[in-house]
Amino acid sequence: MIVLDLSCTNAHRFEGWFASSADFESQLAGGLVACPSCGDTRVQRLPSAPYVLTRSAPAPKPPAAYDTSHAAPALPSQVVAQVVGALREMARKAEDVGDRLAEEARRIHHGDAEARDIRGAASRDDIAELLDEGIVVLPVPPDENAH
């Protein structure tokens, strides 16, 4: 699953969730992607720079000048638990490609392999390179009960 930043010709910005980049392109070509504000189907993908939190990376700290008065309110723990549970379920159902995650993600992204959900392991550098290439990866918190 990938999340893309999108914009219509009326400058409305919104997010779209797609199975893959190819899925987005297919839906866009078929006129199936529309702005939720105005219904415009002349949509374009915007550049985005998501942050991937890995097990070994500390959580980012906001800059000192960050204004928290406009920050989104914290999600209730029950909602967070449901989202994490759904992510873990998706990961369990995904094909495990092991240490070939970066390689296989690139193959899928470029259309050289069948589009499908995959999971595996990648180094911090591999994750950064995938994101620089526009390939979205989503870390899934480990299941504490899976030991």
Side-chain angles (χ1 to χ4, degrees):
M1 185 67 63
I2 62 171
V3 180
L4 302 177
D5 291 324
L6 306 171
S7 177
C8 72
T9 57
N10 294 314
H12 298 128
R13 294 180 64 140
F14 58 100
E15 287 183 348
W17 291 53
F18 302 90
S20 65
S21 292
D23 185 43
F24 164 70
E25 295 297 336
S26 172
Q27 289 185 37
L28 184 65
L32 300 174
V33 181
C35 173
S37 297
C38 66
D40 187 1
T41 57
R42 294 168 294 169
V43 172
Q44 67 178 359
R45 184 175 173 177
L46 298 174
S48 62
Y51 179 80
V52 173
L53 181 64
T54 63
R55 281 187 235 165
S56 58
K61 291 186 171 65
Y66 182 70
D67 178 7
T68 58
S69 65
H70 300 293
L75 292 174
S77 59
Q78 185 178 18
V79 173
V80 172
Q82 288 175 339
V83 170
V84 169
L87 289 172
R88 287 179 179 149
E89 181 63 25
M90 288 172 55
R92 274 192 288 278
K93 292 179 179 178
E95 177 185 341
D96 187 355
V97 295
D99 291 338
R100 297 181 305 106
L101 179 69
E103 173 190 342
E104 197 62 22
R106 282 187 182 94
R107 291 185 59 217
I108 292 169
H109 180 74
H110 296 294
D112 296 332
E114 167 190 352
R116 64 202 189 281
D117 293 334
I118 59 173
R119 64 182 163 96
S123 70
R124 226 188 263 187
D125 290 341
D126 284 338
I127 290 170
E129 289 173 9
L130 289 170
L131 293 172
D132 286 344
E133 294 171 36
I135 303 170
V136 179
V137 293
L138 180 65
V140 177
D143 188 348
E144 296 166 3
N145 300 322
H147 298 312

